[in-house]
Each structure stands twice: as structure tokens, then as C-alpha cells.
Amino acid sequence: RAGVNISDLSFSKDIMKSSNIAGFTGGVMAEFMIPGLGVGVDGALMYSRHGSKLKFKDVTEIAGNVVGLGNSKTQKKLDYIEIPLNLKYKFTLPVVKPYLFIGPSFAFLVGNNISEEFKKRKFDTSINLGAGLELLSKVQVSAQYGWGLNKTLRFSDDATTINAKNRFWTITAAYLF
């Protein structure tokens, strides 16, 4: 399975504007369907890049360090090994099988370019909801939205606490053996 993530970080305070960045996702997947019912599960082991373009609104100071000047832009990246597990329902049509899926995703942080003032959570969970098409029982194309459940980034000092959560669209294609 390979594809693209379109992600951003959702911040708890309005000190910066966050906008989408594109990142690669790819890995291996397995699918197990109950014959005749159209119900099954799929799971994957994926590399996935999330992050955000940030535009600071004013001079932003955290713990005595200036991390953003008014109108300054920066791109932050978070690299994960991700394990999505989905409940899947396929509509049984002859050549093209539309399907819906929902499930949790568990992600382990393996790299980032975020400053040390922010605490990065090493483990992230999200809920994924998506739809796709299976062609000729071999090729799957899908789109999903992921809502991060954990506080991915956190900064806290005497005056301010800032949290951020992942939000992302993922579009993938998979070839089934």
C-alpha cells in the first residue's frame, strides 16, 4: 500500500495558523474477509509522515525563546511507524467492490524536526473513517480521514499551555496478492 497524507496540526491556542502539508505513506497490509458476508478486517504496517505548515501571528516566545516572529513560516514534520486496524464492509458487486471502513490507528514516533521546547508524544492514536473501491479483486484505492485522539505536541510554562493534535487525510492504492 502506498499513498499520500495531507495533514495539519490542530492547536489548542490561537497563536499560529496551521495549514496542510503533504507527506508520503507506504507499507504492507493484510485483509481477512468472511466469505459471503462482505465483512472483514484489515491491518497494515506503514511508514507515515504527518505535520503542518505554521505561520506565527505575532512574536511568539516560549520559555524565554523566540520560536516565531509575526508572519514567519515554518514547516514541522512528524514521522511515524503506524499500525491501522480497520473493520471493513464490502458491497458484493462483480467487477468493482465499493467498501467502507472504520478503526483505530496506533503510531510510534520515529523522527521529527520540532524544537525541544515542545514535548513530543512518542505514541499517538487516531480514529480513521474511510471508503474505497476494489477493482478485479486485486487493486484497492481508498481515502480516509484520521482524527488524532492524543495531544501530539505539548508546551507548558507558568503562563501558557499549548497542545496540538494530528488531523489528516490519506489517499492510498494497494495491490493484493
Side-chain angles (χ1 to χ4, degrees):
R1 182 188 288 179
V4 65
N5 283 322
I6 308 296
S7 63
D8 73 352
L9 292 166
S10 174
F11 285 89
S12 62
K13 302 254 187 206
D14 194 27
I15 63 166
M16 61 192 85
K17 182 180 178 187
S18 175
S19 59
N20 295 330
I21 66 167
F24 171 78
T25 186
V28 295
M29 69 164 285
E31 175 183 86
F32 303 98
M33 302 299 293
I34 299 172
L37 294 180
V39 175
V41 294
D42 77 16
L45 180 63
M46 309 282 289
Y47 163 83
S48 191
R49 173 167 280 174
H50 296 268
S52 189
K53 285 182 190 170
L54 302 178
K55 181 178 179 183
F56 295 93
K57 295 186 175 184
D58 296 313
V59 173
T60 303
E61 188 173 312
I62 296 177
N65 298 317
V66 174
V67 295
L69 302 172
N71 293 323
S72 70
K73 295 178 185 178
T74 183
Q75 188 167 312
K76 300 301 180 186
K77 299 173 185 171
L78 297 156
D79 297 328
Y80 293 99
I81 297 297
E82 189 172 6
I83 304 170
L85 303 170
N86 296 304
L87 179 62
K88 186 183 271 189
Y89 179 76
K90 286 186 187 176
F91 299 91
T92 52
L93 300 174
V95 177
V96 176
K97 295 178 186 171
Y99 60 88
L100 302 172
F101 61 93
I102 187 169
S105 183
F106 308 99
F108 301 90
L109 185 66
V110 293
N112 68 82
N113 71 342
I114 297 176
S115 62
E116 293 301 317
E117 289 82 17
F118 282 92
K119 292 180 185 172
K120 281 118 357 227
R121 190 175 185 101
K122 302 287 186 204
F123 178 75
D124 196 25
T125 56
S126 62
I127 294 293
N128 299 320
L129 175 64
L133 289 173
E134 182 175 291
L135 307 166
L136 304 170
S137 298
K138 290 290 180 191
V139 177
Q140 291 185 354
V141 178
S142 66
Q144 71 181 34
Y145 186 76
W147 289 272
L149 300 176
N150 301 55
K151 296 171 182 164
T152 304
L153 300 177
R154 180 178 175 82
F155 171 78
S156 185
D157 68 7
D158 295 336
T160 305
T161 298
I162 302 168
N163 298 307
K165 294 181 180 182
N166 280 318
R167 301 285 191 259
F168 53 94
W169 284 97
T170 303
I171 300 168
T172 59
Y175 182 78
L176 306 175
F177 294 98

